[in-house]
Amino acid sequence: LVFRPDTDFIFTTSIEHAFANKWDAGAIVLKQDSLNWVKFCFERDYTGANRVVSVVTKDISDDCNSVDIKSNKVYFKIAKAANVITLYYSEDNKSWLLVRHFQFNTTKPLQLGLLAQSPTGDSCKVVFRNITYQNKKIKDPYTGE
C-alpha cells in the first residue's frame, strides 16, 4: 500500500504482529524504484528476536539490525527533509529514539507506504494503527520534531 508523499514529511504508525516465522515483518517502505528504496521493519530476526531493522538500498542494500523489542508492538516514524531521511522508533509513542539518519538522493518521484512480509512462512498478520502523515519539514533530527 503506497502513495506519493510530499517533498518534506513526517509519517508515523504503530506496527503489531505475532511473529510466527523468521523474517516476518511489518514495515514502512519508501521507494524510488527496485534499486533505490528504504525498508524500516519491525522484524523477527534470525535469532528469534523482535527487532527494529532498517534496510537502505542504493543499488546495493545496507542492513542495520537495531534494538530488540520485548513486546509485539512498536511505533515507527520516518521523516524526510529534502534529501535527508531520518528513522525513529518508540515503545510508548512519546519518547522517540533515533535509529538512522542518512542522505537519499533520488531522480524520480518517491512512493511511501506500508508493507507486510513473510518470506519464509505461509503468511503473517500485521496490524498498522495510529497512522499519521504531516506535510512538514522536521526541525530537529534528534528529537523527531
Side-chain angles (χ1 to χ4, degrees), residues 41-75:
C41 305
F42 187 34
E43 181 176 83
R44 168 69 48 94
D45 77 3
Y46 62 95
T47 70
N50 303 340
R51 193 164 305 278
V52 173
V53 176
S54 61
V55 182
V56 177
T57 300
K58 301 176 190 177
D59 295 324
I60 298 171
S61 290
D62 176 353
D63 290 30
C64 178
N65 287 356
S66 190
V67 66
D68 178 359
I69 303 293
K70 300 302 181 197
S71 72
N72 68 341
K73 180 178 180 180
V74 71
Y75 297 86

Side-chain angles (χ1 to χ4, degrees), residues 19-25 43-46 117-124:
F19 295 107
N21 306 288
K22 182 170 63 171
W23 313 127
D24 279 4
E43 181 176 83
R44 168 69 48 94
D45 77 3
Y46 62 95
Q117 70 178 34
S118 185
T120 63
D122 294 329
S123 67
C124 68

